[in-house]
Structures are given as C-alpha cells and as structure tokens.
C-alpha cells in the first residue's frame, strides 16, 4: 500500500510569490491534515480536511489556505510568500477524522519550502 | 492558551539504560499523541492516548497518560542506538470555538543513544 505522497519534495520561491503544495493520502483515507515545521516555532498545526470540508484550522494568517478534492487529495496554498514561510510542510492522513477515532496519523515526507 | 512542555529537550544516554521523557500540558485535554522524527525525515506516529491511566507499549517504548496531573510520559527501556531520534508529544486543544481547534506540539526531545 503506497504511503502519503507529497509533491514537490523541495521548492524555492521568492518573496511575494505564491505556492501550491500537494498531498495524496493513503488509498482509502479520507482525512488530511497539514503542519508547518520550523527550527524556531517547531511543529504547528495548519488545517485539517475531511470529506472535502475543512474541519479545523490552526492560528495562521489567511495567506495560508487549503482544499480537499473528492478523491481525498489535498492542496495547500500560500500566497504572498514571506521569508518566515520557509519551512518543512508536512501532510498526514488517516481513515477517519483523527479527533473522532483512536487512529494514528500517517505522515508524508514533507515539502521543504525555501523563500528567498 | 494551551501550552505543551517537554523535558528534557536534549538527552544523551548509554545503550542499555532506562529513561523517561515528560510531557506536561496546561489545560485539560482528552487526547495526547507521541511522535518520532528521525533527522531529515518525516514524523512517525507512536501512540495515541485517550483516557486517564492509559498505557500503551510498543517494543522498548511505553507511554502513559495522567489527565489529572496533565502529564504524559514516554519511557524507554534498555535503550538501543536505533531509538536515537527526536520525540514529540502533542495535545488536542479542548477549546473548540468556531472550528479553531488546534493540536499543540511540544518542542521535542532530541534523544541521542550512545553505543
């Protein structure tokens, strides 16, 4: 069974640009969540989708947005990039919304975004 | 505001020894997670703890939860070099307002096991 796939693996952008990251969950999984990891702030929760609906979101500005498609694949978009957006962005999937089940999350390898 | 504190943040230990990582959180929560991250790699889910007194074990790792003390522990028994990694705990934020429901992570404990 294929794991969670994130693309691209590495990305370099400049300030002011926008970026879209992609996440394909494990087949059959309907819940996808996104996280940002930086050396300074550590791991922070971005948002969570289940069946194409955003169920929860973290404390990030509106420049960060996401969506989930009918096949459970998810995209995350960051507009007007800032230097501080440089981070490892991780996506995780589970078969049900993790808050309602005793389920582990399965993480992708992440997208390393560098903003110059 | 929910805060999650792990200690120690760095730990170097000899193979064969036992040790415990602590995770304290500031507000009542009904769900606590432990994750492992190897350098340059993604996160691996280890345990999900849901109730007071919950104890889960896998191999040389055992996690427990005391919701009254707002404390979870990750105990390592007879450590081996392969367990060297960074371990994170994370807690569900019980304040659920307008769908702003966050998972809060600790800063992680970097564990280095010397052969």
């Amino acid at each position: 069974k294929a794991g969670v796939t994130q693309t691209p693996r590495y990305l370099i952008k400049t300030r002011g640009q926008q970026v879209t990251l992609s996440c394909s969950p494990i087949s059959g999984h309907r819940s996808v969540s996104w996280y940002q990891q930086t050396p300074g702030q550590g791991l922070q929760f971005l948002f969570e989708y289940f069946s194409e609906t955003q169920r929860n979101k973290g404390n990030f500005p509106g420049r960060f947005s996401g969506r989930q498609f009918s096949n459970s694949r998810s995209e995350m978009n960051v507009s007007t990039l800032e230097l501080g957006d440089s981070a490892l962005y991780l996506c995780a999937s589970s078969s049900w919304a993790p808050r309602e089940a005793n389920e582990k999350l399965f993480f992708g390898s992440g997208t390393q975004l560098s903003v110059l | 505001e929910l805060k999650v504190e792990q200690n120690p943040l760095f730990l170097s230990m000899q193979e064969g020894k036992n040790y415990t990582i602590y995770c304290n959180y500031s507000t009542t929560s009904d769900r606590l997670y432990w994750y492992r991250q190897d350098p340059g790699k993604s996160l691996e889910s280890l345990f999900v703890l849901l109730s007071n007194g919950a104890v889960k074990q896998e191999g040389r790792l055992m996690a427990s939860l005391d919701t009254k003390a707002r404390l979870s522990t990750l105990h390592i028994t007879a450590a081996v070099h392969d367990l060297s990694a960074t371990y994170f705990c994370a807690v569900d934020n019980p304040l659920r307002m307008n769908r702003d429901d966050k998972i809060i992570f600790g800063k992680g404990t970097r564990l280095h096991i010397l052969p």
Side-chain angles (χ1 to χ4, degrees):
Chain A
K1 206 173 192 180
V4 178
T5 304
Q6 288 188 248
T7 56
R9 184 71 180 91
Y10 300 94
L11 201 52
I12 299 174
K13 291 284 187 179
T14 57
R15 279 185 301 173
Q17 287 187 309
Q18 68 108 28
V19 66
T20 299
L21 312 180
S22 179
C23 173
S24 294
I26 291 172
S27 178
H29 282 192
R30 296 168 63 188
S31 174
V32 173
S33 50
W34 289 88
Y35 306 83
Q36 181 196 64
Q37 186 175 27
T38 60
Q41 297 298 317
L43 274 161
Q44 295 182 280
F45 169 74
L46 279 159
F47 23 64
E48 175 187 10
Y49 289 88
F50 180 76
S51 294
E52 302 179 67
T53 301
Q54 186 182 84
R55 290 174 58 91
N56 298 288
K57 67 178 179 71
N59 191 18
F60 278 81
R63 299 185 297 107
F64 292 80
S65 63
R67 59 179 176 168
Q68 187 180 33
F69 302 95
S70 58
N71 62 357
S72 294
R73 190 178 70 86
S74 178
E75 286 183 347
M76 189 192 107
N77 185 275
V78 187
S79 62
T80 319
L81 283 165
E82 300 177 359
L83 295 178
D85 297 333
S86 295
L88 177 66
Y89 290 89
L90 294 165
C91 160
S93 78
S94 64
S95 52
W96 296 99
R99 297 179 198 297
E100 297 176 352
N102 181 13
E103 283 224 11
K104 292 182 180 180
L105 296 175
F106 295 86
F107 284 83
S109 299
T111 293
Q112 183 67 54
L113 172 65
S114 297
V115 182
L116 306 178
Chain B
E1 181 186 342
L2 175 61
K3 293 183 191 253
V4 179
E5 291 186 357
Q6 283 182 242
N7 70 84
L9 296 182
F10 300 96
L11 178 58
S12 183
M13 56 192 290
Q14 296 282 341
E15 275 193 330
K17 299 291 187 183
N18 303 333
Y19 209 81
T20 301
I21 299 171
Y22 297 89
C23 176
N24 289 90
Y25 52 99
S26 59
T27 307
T28 303
S29 177
D30 56 3
R31 200 172 305 234
L32 188 138
Y33 310 84
W34 283 99
Y35 298 95
R36 166 182 173 151
Q37 187 175 37
D38 292 296
K41 304 287 186 181
S42 188
L43 287 167
E44 175 190 353
S45 292
L46 294 174
F47 304 107
V48 180
L49 301 170
L50 297 179
S51 59
N52 187 42
V55 177
K56 290 194 175 179
Q57 182 165 6
E58 191 164 324
R60 300 175 187 274
L61 300 177
M62 183 174 71
S64 65
L65 178 63
D66 182 343
T67 57
K68 293 179 182 177
R70 297 176 190 166
L71 170 69
S72 179
T73 61
L74 181 66
H75 187 73
I76 302 151
T77 302
V80 293
H81 181 67
D82 287 351
L83 290 178
S84 296
T86 299
Y87 292 86
F88 293 92
C89 67
V91 178
D92 268 17
N93 186 348
L95 300 176
R96 301 166 190 260
M97 298 173 62
N98 300 323
R99 300 186 298 121
D100 288 348
D101 188 2
K102 307 174 195 179
I103 299 174
I104 310 296
F105 286 84
K107 293 194 179 298
T109 296
R110 190 178 299 177
L111 177 63
H112 181 54
I113 299 171
L114 304 169

